[in-house]
Amino acid sequence: MTSHLLRKPQSQSIGEGITLIQEVLTSDSPLDYVGFKLIDLAVGAVYEQPLEQDECCIVALTGKITVTEGEHRFEGIGTRESVFEKKPTDSVFVSGGASFTVEAVTPATVALCYSPAVEPRPTKLLPASGVGVVHRGKYNNQRMVHDILPDSDPSASSLLVVEVYTEGGNFSSYPPHKHDRDLLPEESLLEETYYHELAPKQGFVFQRVYTDDRSIDETMAVEHRNVVIVPAGYHPVGVPDGYTSYYLNVMAGPKRVWKFYNEPDHEWILNRD
Ligand SMILES: O=C[C@H](O)[C@@H](O)[C@H](O)CC(=O)O
């Protein structure tokens, strides 16, 4: 039986040239803060959305798009045909109460990342050139992180967006960590979604989502274009040999701080020379 935390991709036409692949709403998930949508756009297709209480980070995952909001027009943004080119891409931040459009200049896949608009923020381009690249981990937990909208960037009022690349034979989000208690400075409460891609695409990764009391304990085989929902708990990812894992994380909670807590049983992993 498929885990309630695992969402397989759909393929639903929601407009001319617009195909909905993933949609995670607070109204149909165990999440209170984070929303996520993935859409494929044919050339010339125009997706439009009015934002009410949410802010949104529009990630040009693949292909080129033009984003408009009010007097803002960001033309032909996007830097890659595949996420596995492993280079940062462009995004646009739009705050609550605004309406935006996304037009496909080439065939495109767009990630729409949502969280509460706690305070208004200006619409702005988050250019690829401004994305921090971090190489994290050692031994077999090495991964590359693109900080698209980290907590150090005040462009958003609650939203955090990051993408992570993990090569075969490695684990990421490892040693297992969690961020499910509003208990700063020790830990922050951030819900999370993982949008996964695999190269080659027939691959899979293992992801476990589990809490200290094991009230949540789901171990999943996660495939291309799946979403994993992390309402709470530790959430490590293991990547089989031969495959490259990509995932896009959306995080949000009561405070826009990413302060995770490593599982004590496994924290020794970090202390090796
Ligand atoms: O909490 C954040 C997410 O679990 C990932 O972005 C994770 O931090 C990626 C990693 O460090 O491997």
Side-chain angles (χ1 to χ4, degrees):
M1 189 170 88
T2 301
S3 167
H4 71 288
L5 299 181
L6 183 65
R7 296 285 179 90
K8 302 282 190 181
Q10 53 179 302
S11 182
Q12 178 191 349
S13 175
I14 58 170
E16 189 172 346
I18 309 172
T19 306
L20 179 68
I21 306 300
Q22 287 282 0
E23 184 173 40
V24 177
L25 304 168
T26 52
S27 57
D28 76 351
S29 76
L31 303 179
D32 297 318
Y33 293 89
V34 167
F36 178 75
K37 194 180 284 188
L38 191 87
I39 55 177
D40 284 343
L41 298 177
V43 177
V46 180
Y47 172 84
E48 53 187 321
Q49 181 172 7
L51 293 171
E52 295 174 5
Q53 310 300 322
D54 282 343
E55 60 192 21
C56 181
C57 182
I58 303 160
V59 182
L61 217 62
T62 62
K64 291 198 173 294
I65 58 175
T66 292
V67 177
T68 67
E69 185 283 316
E71 76 280 1
H72 299 282
R73 183 175 175 81
F74 305 108
E75 289 197 345
I77 65 171
T79 64
R80 60 199 187 191
E81 288 310 306
S82 162
V83 300
F84 294 104
E85 294 176 32
K86 298 184 186 175
K87 53 186 171 183
T89 191
D90 301 314
S91 303
V92 174
F93 174 83
V94 180
S95 190
S99 292
F100 66 84
T101 69
V102 180
E103 179 177 1
V105 177
T106 69
T109 294
V110 179
L112 301 166
C113 312
Y114 305 94
S115 68
V118 177
E119 295 171 354
R121 289 283 193 282
T123 295
K124 65 184 291 188
L125 176 68
L126 303 171
S129 58
V131 173
V133 179
V134 176
H135 294 276
R136 196 176 286 164
K138 55 186 176 183
Y139 300 110
N140 296 106
N141 61 76
Q142 299 185 59
R143 61 274 196 195
M144 178 174 72
V145 179
H146 289 167
D147 278 321
I148 296 171
L149 198 48
D151 58 2
S152 57
D153 178 344
S155 300
S157 71
S158 70
L159 193 56
L160 297 166
V161 181
V162 61
E163 60 184 12
V164 181
Y165 294 87
T166 311
E167 297 302 337
N170 283 272
F171 274 72
S172 55
S173 304
Y174 188 82
H177 69 236
K178 71 181 182 70
H179 31 73
D180 60 14
R181 292 180 298 163
D182 188 4
L183 200 61
L184 288 173
E186 186 178 338
E187 185 176 348
S188 59
L189 192 164
L190 294 173
E191 298 174 343
E192 188 164 20
T193 58
Y194 277 68
Y195 165 70
H196 287 266
E197 291 203 3
L198 273 299
K201 64 183 179 182
Q202 71 270 24
F204 61 87
V205 296
F206 294 108
Q207 185 162 20
R208 185 184 180 192
V209 180
Y210 63 104
T211 51
D212 285 320
D213 65 3
R214 304 298 191 264
S215 57
I216 296 176
D217 192 354
E218 302 285 325
T219 300
M220 297 159 267
V222 182
E223 298 177 304
H224 188 60
R225 307 199 103 182
N226 286 189
V227 165
V228 171
I229 298 168
V230 186
Y234 306 100
H235 38 275
V237 174
V239 185
D241 180 32
Y243 290 88
T244 300
S245 155
Y246 167 89
Y247 52 76
L248 180 78
N249 289 133
V250 182
M251 292 181 276
K255 299 182 180 70
R256 189 168 180 263
V257 175
W258 181 52
K259 182 66 174 74
F260 57 85
Y261 171 82
N262 290 315
E263 187 175 7
D265 281 356
H266 307 294
E267 199 164 31
W268 65 268
I269 294 279
L270 297 174
N271 302 325
R272 294 171 294 173
D273 294 330

